[in-house]
Amino acid sequence: MKRILVIGGSRYFGKSLVARLRDEGNTVTVLNRGSSAPPPGVGRLLADRDDEAGLRAALGRRDFDVVVDQVCYTPLQAAVARRVFTGRTGRYVMTSTMEVYDPATLPAGSAPHTVPVAEESLDPARPPFGSGPEAGRPARAGAAHAYAEGKRRAEAVFLREPPFPYVTVRTAHVLGGGRAEFTGRLAHYVERIGAGTPVDVHEAPYGTSFIHHLEMADFLRWTAGQTFTGPVNAASHGAPDVHALCAAVGEQLGRRPRHRVVEAGADASPFSFDRAYAMDNSRATALGFTFGRVADWLPGAVAETARDTP
């Protein structure tokens, strides 16, 4: 039994993670700003993680075997956590994203050269990410670029001489869960294909990595109990492109998908990419985690989304 703190954990696969950790017999505490109550049998601390003094006050003298950080988005948040949890935890697991590999958000010349992308292809703690004139500069402005750069810089804070055993879980695109999947990206396809509306795609879209929301919760639960450190990719086997995704949705809905090719450089539907950065999951597999196949769980995720889509 471990004493585990989950920072965030109030929605989507974070809720499933908290329940799984609890059901294993761990003593689980959730720390957030009070957006929702934790499930029965789980402790709760209220604090704004950006407020270092308030975070220290909420923690008091508590320490933990593992901290799972679900909501670290910026280097400031990482720096606060690094200071506050030094000496308080035996293991720190940060949920990151495959977007750290996205060539569209990386400084020129620093994108990974092989696909699927392995963890060692990107080290945010080394130039041009960790220091120098390019550090912290997205390729161009925009929410997606700020998100990817924020995650890279947050990873760099922890990876540079980590004060505790540290893991950064670079998650694939998470799908499933119906209404719980708050991004609406899979619902976008269900709605458009169901209505006979064309899906906007790139002329030559690339495949991408996905993981089911419950598999993501299981992976984080598993990671919390392991001893390895450093970056690790979390993705189901298979990297379908947008056409395969549309086909899966169309099969569930009994509708034939329609596509509309966008001009080069224009935005397309979610998961239509004009660049390659699908992930290699072989490190996690070698460490002992068994991933499912996208082709096996995607039909159920589509059906679930269709049931919850007006």
Side-chain angles (χ1 to χ4, degrees):
M1 184 177 74
K2 297 181 183 294
R3 292 166 294 120
I4 301 178
L5 177 70
V6 179
I7 305 176
S10 62
R11 63 179 180 175
Y12 205 21
F13 61 85
K15 295 175 67 175
S16 300
L17 167 64
V18 169
R20 280 160 166 70
L21 292 171
R22 177 203 59 192
D23 292 347
E24 278 189 332
N26 300 295
T27 300
V28 183
T29 304
V30 169
L31 185 148
N32 55 37
R33 292 179 295 182
S35 55
S36 61
V42 173
R44 185 185 194 185
L45 298 173
L46 300 180
D48 183 341
R49 64 168 305 149
D50 293 339
D51 178 357
E52 184 169 347
L55 179 57
R56 290 184 184 276
L59 291 170
R61 299 174 63 87
R62 296 175 182 85
D63 58 14
F64 304 92
D65 297 305
V66 185
V67 173
V68 182
D69 191 343
Q70 290 281 85
V71 289
C72 186
Y73 299 111
T74 70
L76 172 62
Q77 291 175 336
V80 168
R82 178 187 170 106
R83 290 192 295 268
V84 169
F85 288 102
T86 295
R88 288 183 184 265
T89 185
R91 184 167 177 78
Y92 201 100
V93 179
M94 172 187 156
T95 303
S96 188
T97 172
M98 70 177 292
E99 303 306 332
V100 299
Y101 298 120
D102 186 355
T105 70
L106 288 165
S110 61
H113 298 293
T114 59
V115 178
V117 182
E119 293 85 352
E120 61 269 19
S121 299
L122 181 76
D123 183 356
R126 295 179 180 175
F129 312 105
S131 62
E134 293 295 326
R137 294 185 184 177
R140 63 180 189 269
H145 301 79
Y147 174 69
E149 183 68 4
K151 286 290 191 180
R152 281 192 291 265
R153 294 178 66 193
E155 285 191 25
V157 170
F158 287 117
L159 287 168
R160 194 180 299 111
E161 299 180 4
F164 32 60
Y166 168 74
V167 179
T168 176
V169 178
R170 294 170 178 166
T171 69
H173 302 294
V174 184
L175 292 182
R179 293 177 184 173
E181 199 279 280
F182 60 92
T183 71
R185 292 177 296 185
L186 187 53
H188 169 92
Y189 288 89
V190 170
E191 291 167 359
R192 294 182 77 87
I193 293 172
T197 304
V199 174
D200 292 335
V201 301
H202 293 98
E203 183 174 6
Y206 288 84
T208 191
S209 294
F210 296 98
I211 191 167
H212 191 268
H213 70 111
L214 294 179
E215 186 172 46
M216 191 64 243
D218 281 335
F219 185 81
L220 289 169
R221 175 200 55 77
W222 174 80
T223 300
Q226 301 299 304
T227 59
F228 69 87
T229 59
V232 62
N233 294 337
S236 299
H237 297 298
D241 65 14
V242 67
H243 294 291
L245 179 59
C246 286
V249 173
E251 183 174 356
Q252 287 297 311
L253 300 181
R255 301 294 298 269
R256 183 175 180 178
R258 297 172 57 206
H259 305 134
R260 179 171 55 203
V261 176
V262 300
E263 296 181 0
D267 291 334
S269 292
F271 310 130
S272 180
F273 296 102
D274 58 359
R275 60 219 182 255
Y277 62 108
M279 294 192 300
D280 182 338
N281 65 9
S282 60
R283 184 184 186 216
T285 299
L287 287 166
F289 190 83
T290 301
F291 289 104
R293 297 173 64 248
V294 176
D296 291 337
W297 57 254
L298 182 57
V302 172
E304 184 178 43
T305 301
R307 287 194 299 268
D308 289 339
T309 299

